[in-house]
Amino acid sequence: MLAPWTRHHAFTGFPDVPGPIRPGWVQLPGARVFAIGFFLSSRRFMQIALADDRGRVYATDEPNPDLHGREPEFFLFKEGEWTIPDGPRLGHTAATGGRTIRVAHGGVVCAEANGVNRWLASWIEAGRRYTLEQLRVTLPDELRVGLEYRDAVTVAFFAAYLLPKMRGLLLGFGSGNIFRRLEQQAPLSAIRDSARDAAEARAHGLRTSGLEDHAVMLMREIGALGNLPALQPDHGAEPMHLITSELSGNYFLTWDTSLPFDAALTSMRIEGNLNRFAQVSSWLETNASHGIEPTEDTVSQAQAALIDQALLTNPALSAFSRTEPIDVLHGPAFGEVNRLISIAADTAQRIARANPAPQADQPHGEWVLRQTLASLLRRLRLPYRFDTDFRDDLEAGRLAIAFTAAGPALMPASEYIADTHDWIDLDDAARAQLSARYNLRVGLMMAALAFGASPLIREVSVIIDSIGLEEAIKEQDSAIKAMMSDALSTFEQWHDRPLDFAGGKASPKDGDQHGNPMAIGTANGPEPQGAPADDEFEQLMRGGGIDEVTFAFDERDGQNGGQGGHAAGTAIDEQLERLRTGPTLTTLATVTFTREAFLQRLRDDGLEHPDETFAMFHAAMTIDAEHGLAPTPTDLTIHDARFEPRNAQMAPESQERVLTPAEARAMGATDTFGLAIQRDDLLAYAVARFHELAADDAMPSVDKAQQAMRLIDRIGDPELTDAALEITAALIDGRDTPDPVFEAGARLDDARVKARDLLFSGQVDQAVEHIESVVAALDEQFAAGDGVPRYFNSYADRVIYNHLFAIRDERTVLIPDNLFYAHMELADALAQLKGAKEALPHLNRLVAYAPSYALSHLKLAVQLAREEDWDSVRAACLNALRVSIDRADAGYAYYRLAQAAWMRDEFAVAVAAYMMSDAVAHNQVPSLGEELSEVRGRATSQNIPIPTAMAQAQRTLAEHDIPVWPGTEVAPIMLRAARVGVDQGMFVPARTLAVAAARMGEQGIDAVQLQFLRSLNA
C-alpha cells in the first residue's frame, strides 16, 4: 500500500493492459531511484523494476536492491544534440518566425541474453520534457509527447519493452530492426527475418515504418524472399557475407566460393537494394536531425519509394554525407551535383594542409591530386558496386577516369507513380534507359570531382565500361556465364583485395614478403630453409636449462610472412587484368570534357539531361533500340601515355639525369643513379648509351670517350670497368662499341647449380667449399675498387640507405642479386648442417651488403639467438626496427627483442616488446601469447614491475632507447620521398615508397591508398 504523500503516477490508455490494472511509477522516498510497476488499485502497487536518474532500468521487485556491478535490462542513452524547429513534435504550439530549439536525442535499448543491446525506439528532449518516437505500439500523444523524465522512462519501458516482450513481439522499429539483424545475422537470414518481423507486427496491430515496408518490397522484387538454391545456407553457413565500407558506408556482399552466374547476379541485386534502403534511411535521419518531415517515424511507404526513386534518379544527392536536408519529394534537385565540386576542392585543401609539401613550389601537385581523387572515389556512396581507376598528367592539365557501369539487370523492376498512387512494372527498355541515365550521371559526377580536385585540370576524359552482365543474360550462353561467374567473383573481391605491385621494376625483389625470416626467401633466390622445429624455447619456458636451448625453432605453422597476401593479390590482379582485356569487358561510352564549358553546363543543367551533356562534348556512345548504352568501339583508354607525366614509368636505372634540389633532399641522392637497385638494368643502360655515343657523328671522338668514361666511373661496376679500355678505344677510333660480357652473375649461377648437384650426391663439404670459393672471389672482386658494394631489395630500401647509411661522396656499387642470394642460401644451409656459428660470416656479409634491408638483420638475430649471444640479438633487432617499413618485420623484430630482453633479465622491456609485437602484427607468432604469459608470471613472482597497458609498454621501450614503430626516423623519410617521387613524375620508385609510407601511416594500406597506388601504374 502506498502512503498518501508518496509521489506516483498511474497511466491510462495503454493498449493491451487489462481492466483496472494501470502501468505507472512510484518515487521511493529519500532515494534517486523510482519503482516501475502496475497499479492494481489507486493505492496498491506491484513493483517489477527499479529505475535510476540516468535512464537505467533494472528488473527487480526489491525496493532497495544492491545494484553495484549489475547491468540494466533496459535503458535510455543519449546520442547527441540537434537544432530543430520548435513545435508539436515537442508538445509545443507550432513555431512562428522560424524559431528553433536545441534538443538532445537518443535511443531506447534493451539488453539481450547474448550480451548484445537491441535498439527499440528513440527519444528527443528539450527543457526536461521528452517525446518518444519510433515506437511499435500506437500511443496517444499524452503518453508520448511532452513527458517528464519518470513518465518517459516508464512509458518507454512498458510500450517498447515489457508489453511487447510479454506478447513475444520484442521488435525494434523500422530500419533499426533491419540494421540490427543485418549486423548480427547472415544476410539472407537477416532479410527474411526482417520481412517476417514486419508481417508479424502488422498482423498484431503494431506499427511498421513506411521505409520498413519499402525495404520488404525491394527484397521481394528481386526474389530474396523466395527460393534461392545457390544462396541457401549449407548446414547453417550462407555463402554470402555482408560487410560495411568504413569509407562510404555502403554494404558489400562477399562470397566464400565462386557462385553460379544467376546466384552471383542475384547477390549483386540484393547488395544494390540494401544500399538503396540504407540511403533512404540516412536521408530520413538527416530530416529528423533538422526537424523536417518526413522522418522514419512518419514516412509512408509511398514517400519512401519516392525518396528512393529520387536518389536513384539523381545519385549526386546521397554521394556524400549531408549536413543540410533537401526536399526531394517535389523535385530531384539536379543542380546538387555542383556541391561535389566544392567537396572535392575542400578535400584537396584538407589533404594539403595535413601534409605540407616538402617543396614549397608544389603545395597541390600530383600527390595531393591523386590522394584527393582516391579518397573521393572510395568515399563515393552509390547504390551499385563499381570498379574505378584514373590517371592524370597535372602539368598538362589532363585526367582520365574509367569506371564500370551498373547494367539494366541491376535496375529496379517497378516504379511508384505518385499521381495515380500505383506501382507499375518496368520493361527491359525502361530499365535499360534508367541504367543509361544512371551511368551517364555517375560519369558526370566523377568528372565534377576531378575538376574540383585541382584547378589545374583542364580536361577530364570519362570512360564507362561494362563487365558483361547484359551480354551474358542476352546470350544465355553457358561459356559466357561461366566466364561471368569468375568475373563477378573478381569484381566482388576488388574492394578488399590485398596489395600487389603488379610486377615490374617497382616490385620488391623478395616478392614483398615480411615477418619471420625463416619462412621468407627471395623472388629469384633460394627457397627458405627454415630452422629445426624442436620446441626449444618452450623447453626454456618449462624450466629447461639455458645450455640446452638454442631458440632455433620455426614458426611456419602460423606465420606466412607476406606470402599469402601477396599471392592472393597477384591472383586477383591477374583476374582483373583478364577481366579488363578479355571478352567480357566492353566500353559503352567515352567523352572528354573541357573545364569551363563543363562547369558552365553543370551550373545550367546539373544532371537533368546527362545524354545531352555527353552529346554536347561529342561523346563516343551508342544508344540501342531499348534506349540503353551499347558497346562502342574507341581508342581512348586511361593507359594512354598522355594521361601520365612524361617518362613517369621510366626506372632510375634507365635514365641519367641530375635530380632537382627538392628531389635530392627527399631521395638522398644527387642523380637518378643514386636511386638504382637493378645492376643488370644499369649495365644495360650503359651499353646502350655507349652505342648512342658511337652513332653520334657530330660529337668529337675524345668527348665521346670522356663521356663514356665518366659513366663507367659513375656506375663503378668492376666488370664494366674492366671493359673500359676497349670501349673508349672504339669510340676514339670511330668504331661502334663492343658489347661487354658481364659473367659474374652467370658464373655464380653455374656454381650454385654444381653445388646443388654435389649436395644431392651426398658430397656436402665439397658442395659448400665449391660455392663458398666462387662467392668469396666475387666478394673480393666487388670490394676491390673504391666503391662500396651494396644490395637493395627495393627503391624504398635504397632511399633509406641514402639517408641513414651512405657517407658523403660515397660511390655505391650494385652487386649481382644472386651474390646476395648465395650468401643467404649458404647461411641457411650451414645453419642447418653445421650450426649457427658457421652461418654467421655469411649473415654478417648480408648485413654489410644490405644494411637498410630488415630481413638481413632478422636472419642474423635468429642465428645469434641460437648462439645465446643476447647482446648481439638485441643489437640486430634494434637495427631491424630502425629500417623496418612493414609491420610484419617490425612485429617479428620486437618478438626476438623480447626474447633477448628476457634472457638479459630485463623483464619490463621483455613484456613491453612482446606487447608491441602483438600490437604491430597481431597473431603473427603463435607462441607469443604463451611466452608473454610466462614472462609476466616470472616477473610477478619476483615482484618486478612490468607494463600492463600499451602506453606503459611504449614508454618503457622509449626509456630504453628502443624505437616505437612506426614512429621511427624512417617514417617521415618514406612519406617525403613518396610525395616528391609522385609530384616529380618518378612513379617507378614512388610506388614502392608510397607503399612503405602508407604501411607506416595511421590507416595502413586501406581502400584509398589502394586506389592511389593503382593510379601510379602505367
Side-chain angles (χ1 to χ4, degrees):
M1 294 294 291
L2 296 181
W5 56 83
T6 302
R7 296 186 62 186
H8 64 280
H9 189 184
F11 299 98
T12 58
F14 256 101
D16 299 320
V17 177
I21 299 176
R22 293 179 296 166
W25 57 264
V26 171
Q27 179 65 53
L28 300 182
R32 302 183 66 178
V33 296
F34 59 95
I36 295 176
F38 290 104
F39 284 87
L40 305 180
S41 66
S42 60
R43 290 297 175 185
R44 293 181 60 200
F45 178 76
M46 181 179 70
Q47 177 184 327
I48 58 174
L50 203 65
D52 63 14
D53 58 354
R54 299 174 63 184
R56 298 175 297 189
V57 180
Y58 304 87
T60 178
D61 57 1
E62 300 179 30
N64 296 297
D66 181 10
L67 301 178
H68 180 71
R70 178 173 169 177
E71 294 295 326
E73 282 74 18
F74 175 88
F75 59 95
L76 278 65
F77 70 97
K78 180 179 177 180
E79 294 176 320
E81 294 185 349
W82 294 330
T83 299
I84 64 175
D86 199 359
R89 187 179 177 189
L90 299 166
H92 304 160
T93 57
T96 58
R99 187 174 77 250
T100 60
I101 188 170
R102 193 71 175 164
V103 301
H105 69 95
V108 177
V109 175
C110 72
E112 297 188 295
N114 58 6
V116 177
N117 293 327
R118 176 183 295 196
W119 183 93
L120 300 173
S122 64
W123 56 266
I124 57 175
E125 175 268 329
R128 298 186 180 182
R129 291 287 172 173
Y130 291 77
T131 295
L132 300 177
E133 299 182 324
Q134 302 189 67
L135 291 165
R136 285 284 188 189
V137 176
T138 301
L139 294 177
D141 284 352
E142 57 267 23
L143 288 179
R144 197 180 59 81
V145 180
L147 306 176
E148 65 101 8
Y149 171 73
R150 286 168 295 195
D151 289 348
V153 172
T154 303
V155 171
F157 176 74
F158 280 106
Y161 175 62
L162 185 63
L163 296 179
K165 185 178 182 180
M166 292 170 64
R167 299 173 62 190
L169 294 170
L170 186 60
L171 303 172
F173 184 77
S175 64
N177 185 59
I178 299 175
F179 288 133
R180 175 185 67 85
R181 290 202 178 277
L182 288 172
E183 183 178 345
Q184 296 179 8
Q185 298 173 224
L188 209 55
S189 169
I191 289 167
R192 293 173 173 179
D193 282 354
S194 296
R196 279 191 287 268
D197 289 342
E200 192 170 3
R202 194 179 299 106
H204 287 81
L206 300 180
R207 297 175 66 229
T208 59
S209 155
L211 175 58
E212 184 177 24
D213 293 336
H214 182 62
V216 173
M217 188 278 295
L218 289 177
M219 293 303 138
R220 182 178 293 111
E221 179 181 84
I222 56 175
L225 304 184
N227 185 32
L228 298 172
L231 298 179
Q232 294 296 122
D234 181 17
H235 302 294
E238 289 187 17
M240 297 190 302
H241 305 281
L242 190 68
I243 61 174
T244 306
S245 168
E246 295 181 357
L247 296 166
S248 67
N250 266 359
Y251 285 125
F252 290 99
L253 284 170
T254 64
W255 314 320
D256 287 334
T257 57
S258 180
L259 291 176
F261 171 77
D262 293 334
L265 180 57
T266 299
S267 175
M268 293 185 68
R269 286 170 169 161
I270 292 172
E271 177 184 288
N273 282 11
L274 282 175
N275 284 321
R276 288 167 56 192
F277 151 73
Q279 286 184 351
V280 177
S281 174
S282 177
W283 194 267
L284 294 172
E285 184 67 21
T286 300
N287 277 3
S289 68
H290 289 82
I292 305 296
E293 294 292 340
T295 66
E296 182 159 3
D297 197 38
T298 61
V299 70
S300 67
Q301 183 180 356
Q303 288 176 317
L306 290 172
I307 294 171
D308 178 25
Q309 290 168 191
L311 298 182
L312 191 59
T313 301
N314 184 1
L317 289 170
S318 55
F320 296 97
S321 59
R322 305 187 60 87
T323 56
E324 296 294 330
I326 185 170
D327 181 13
V328 298
L329 291 175
H330 300 91
F334 285 121
E336 277 293 295
V337 67
N338 291 281
R339 186 174 70 101
L340 272 58
I341 301 170
S342 300
I343 289 174
D346 292 343
T347 302
Q349 292 285 352
R350 175 178 53 79
I351 290 175
R353 285 194 301 269
N355 303 273
Q359 63 276 33
D361 60 328
Q362 282 191 319
H364 295 274
E366 287 277 5
W367 191 88
V368 169
L369 170 61
R370 290 167 185 259
Q371 288 283 354
T372 298
L373 203 50
S375 174
L376 292 168
L377 291 174
R378 295 333 306 175
R379 286 167 46 211
L380 192 60
R381 188 173 189 180
L382 297 173
Y384 304 113
R385 187 186 306 202
F386 64 96
D387 181 26
T388 184
D389 204 357
F390 70 92
R391 303 288 187 274
D392 80 88
D393 181 355
L394 184 59
E395 185 176 0
R398 290 189 293 265
L399 185 145
I401 187 165
F403 70 95
T404 51
L410 302 179
M411 294 296 115
S414 60
E415 181 178 326
Y416 181 76
I417 306 301
D419 292 339
T420 61
H421 307 289
D422 289 327
W423 287 90
I424 63 170
D425 293 333
L426 298 180
D427 59 17
D428 290 344
R431 298 177 75 192
Q433 186 176 37
L434 185 58
S435 168
R437 291 184 174 177
Y438 170 85
N439 290 308
L440 294 177
R441 284 169 174 142
V442 170
L444 295 176
M445 291 163 55
M446 291 187 176
L449 292 174
F451 281 122
S454 173
L456 299 180
I457 293 298
R458 312 307 301 173
E459 291 183 358
V460 173
S461 296
V462 175
I463 303 160
I464 304 177
D465 291 325
S466 167
I467 63 172
L469 280 176
E470 317 316 312
E471 290 78 359
I473 294 171
K474 290 178 181 178
E475 294 294 332
Q476 291 296 308
D477 184 279
S478 58
I480 295 179
K481 285 194 172 186
M483 185 185 301
M484 282 307 304
S485 292
D486 293 338
L488 289 175
S489 294
T490 298
F491 194 38
E492 175 269 330
Q493 295 175 63
W494 153 243
H495 70 281
D496 197 34
R497 68 196 182 113
L499 173 68
D500 182 70
F501 286 89
K505 300 299 183 183
S507 302
K509 297 175 182 178
D510 63 2
D512 196 31
Q513 302 176 77
H514 302 277
N516 178 7
M518 306 313 294
I520 296 176
T522 51
N524 301 306
E527 290 297 319
Q529 299 297 314
D534 52 10
D535 298 324
E536 291 172 338
F537 196 76
E538 184 177 353
Q539 292 181 27
L540 177 68
M541 292 167 53
R542 302 300 183 195
I546 294 292
D547 292 341
E548 293 88 28
V549 177
T550 66
F551 288 167
F553 55 91
D554 186 8
E555 296 88 353
R556 282 171 294 181
D557 289 341
Q559 164 61 15
N560 296 319
Q563 299 173 78
H566 176 77
T570 301
I572 294 171
D573 268 334
E574 290 173 352
Q575 294 169 25
L576 277 168
E577 186 58 28
R578 287 199 300 272
L579 176 58
R580 284 210 166 271
T581 59
T584 63
L585 190 75
T586 55
T587 298
L588 300 177
T590 61
V591 66
T592 297
F593 299 114
T594 54
R595 185 178 188 89
E596 285 74 15
F598 177 81
L599 297 182
Q600 184 61 51
R601 174 63 177 175
L602 283 195
R603 288 191 290 269
D604 294 342
D605 193 65
L607 297 182
E608 187 167 1
H609 304 99
D611 46 351
E612 295 178 13
T613 302
F614 267 65
M616 283 179 59
F617 290 89
H618 311 290
M621 64 179 183
T622 304
I623 304 298
D624 62 19
E626 294 183 339
H627 305 289
L629 294 176
T632 302
T634 179
D635 294 327
L636 183 62
T637 167
I638 63 170
H639 303 294
D640 287 349
R642 61 196 179 101
F643 294 126
E644 67 180 12
R646 185 170 178 268
N647 296 329
Q649 302 301 333
M650 186 176 288
E653 296 87 346
S654 301
Q655 54 183 319
E656 183 186 8
R657 71 171 178 87
V658 176
L659 299 181
T660 66
E663 292 172 335
R665 286 192 299 272
M667 304 297 181
T670 58
D671 60 13
T672 52
F673 284 1
L675 293 174
I677 66 171
Q678 305 281 1
R679 174 180 182 259
D680 290 346
D681 292 348
L682 207 55
L683 295 178
Y685 171 81
V687 172
R689 180 60 181 151
F690 298 150
H691 288 307
E692 290 177 4
L693 290 171
D696 189 347
D697 296 332
M699 183 182 296
S701 59
V702 174
D703 291 346
K704 294 179 184 181
Q706 289 176 343
Q707 282 200 23
M709 200 62 221
R710 281 196 295 270
L711 181 58
I712 292 170
D713 289 340
R714 176 65 185 89
I715 294 175
D717 188 90
E719 289 191 299
L720 186 60
T721 301
D722 290 343
L725 183 59
E726 190 177 2
I727 292 169
T728 54
L731 291 172
I732 291 174
D733 294 342
R735 296 181 283 108
D736 191 13
T737 55
D739 289 335
V741 178
F742 304 114
E743 57 183 12
R747 190 164 72 248
L748 182 54
D749 283 339
D750 292 341
R752 290 168 71 189
V753 170
K754 182 176 179 180
R756 283 171 177 165
D757 291 341
L758 291 170
L759 186 64
F760 291 143
S761 66
Q763 303 178 66
V764 176
D765 291 337
Q766 293 90 328
V768 172
E769 289 173 6
H770 176 69
I771 189 66
E772 281 195 318
S773 65
V774 176
V775 167
L778 285 177
D779 287 338
E780 184 177 352
Q781 180 181 2
F782 279 84
D786 59 356
V788 180
R790 289 290 182 260
Y791 167 87
F792 301 104
N793 179 62
S794 69
Y795 291 109
D797 288 352
R798 179 70 197 251
V799 172
I800 293 171
Y801 176 83
N802 291 346
H803 281 280
L804 301 186
F805 298 99
I807 61 176
R808 187 178 182 84
D809 298 325
E810 175 183 307
R811 185 172 66 168
T812 306
V813 177
L814 299 179
I815 65 170
D817 288 352
N818 59 358
L819 177 56
F820 184 83
Y821 304 152
H823 279 292
M824 187 184 296
E825 191 173 38
L826 278 165
D828 289 342
L830 289 171
Q832 290 281 337
L833 300 171
K834 298 186 177 182
K837 189 172 184 179
E838 294 298 317
L840 291 180
H842 294 286
L843 292 168
N844 286 322
R845 179 69 70 172
L846 291 179
V847 171
Y849 278 149
S852 58
Y853 185 24
L855 180 65
S856 302
H857 304 287
L858 293 175
K859 278 188 168 289
L860 177 60
V862 170
Q863 301 305 331
L864 288 170
R866 295 182 66 187
E867 290 295 300
E868 302 172 25
D869 185 354
W870 302 114
D871 292 342
S872 297
V873 172
R874 182 183 189 276
C877 291
L878 291 178
N879 288 334
L881 281 173
R882 187 186 185 201
V883 299
S884 289
I885 53 177
D886 183 271
R887 61 180 57 253
D889 290 338
Y892 196 83
Y894 278 122
Y895 170 68
R896 287 295 187 175
L897 179 65
Q899 293 180 336
W902 184 354
M903 295 301 99
R904 297 173 71 214
D905 291 338
E906 298 173 343
F907 290 95
V909 173
V911 170
Y914 275 128
M915 292 172 67
M916 274 298 293
S917 176
D918 190 53
V920 169
H922 186 57
N923 287 337
Q924 179 179 225
V925 181
S927 60
L928 185 147
E930 189 176 359
E931 293 176 30
L932 175 57
S933 178
E934 179 67 22
V935 73
R936 277 174 170 162
R938 296 191 184 192
T940 301
S941 72
Q942 299 300 314
N943 195 29
I944 298 173
I946 55 175
T948 56
M950 184 52 60
Q952 294 175 330
Q954 293 177 341
R955 188 163 54 250
T956 299
L957 294 176
E959 290 170 351
H960 288 80
D961 297 322
I962 297 171
V964 179
W965 199 90
T968 66
E969 57 189 328
V970 164
I973 291 173
M974 292 293 95
L975 181 58
R976 183 168 59 249
R979 176 159 185 181
V980 170
V982 173
D983 282 342
Q984 300 299 107
M986 303 169 65
F987 288 178
V988 174
R991 280 196 290 272
T992 310
L993 293 163
V995 168
R999 284 175 172 167
M1000 300 187 79
E1002 292 183 6
Q1003 302 301 321
I1005 302 287
D1006 60 7
V1008 170
Q1009 295 308 313
L1010 280 174
Q1011 189 75 65
F1012 168 78
L1013 290 168
R1014 288 179 76 187
S1015 78
L1016 302 179
N1017 291 332

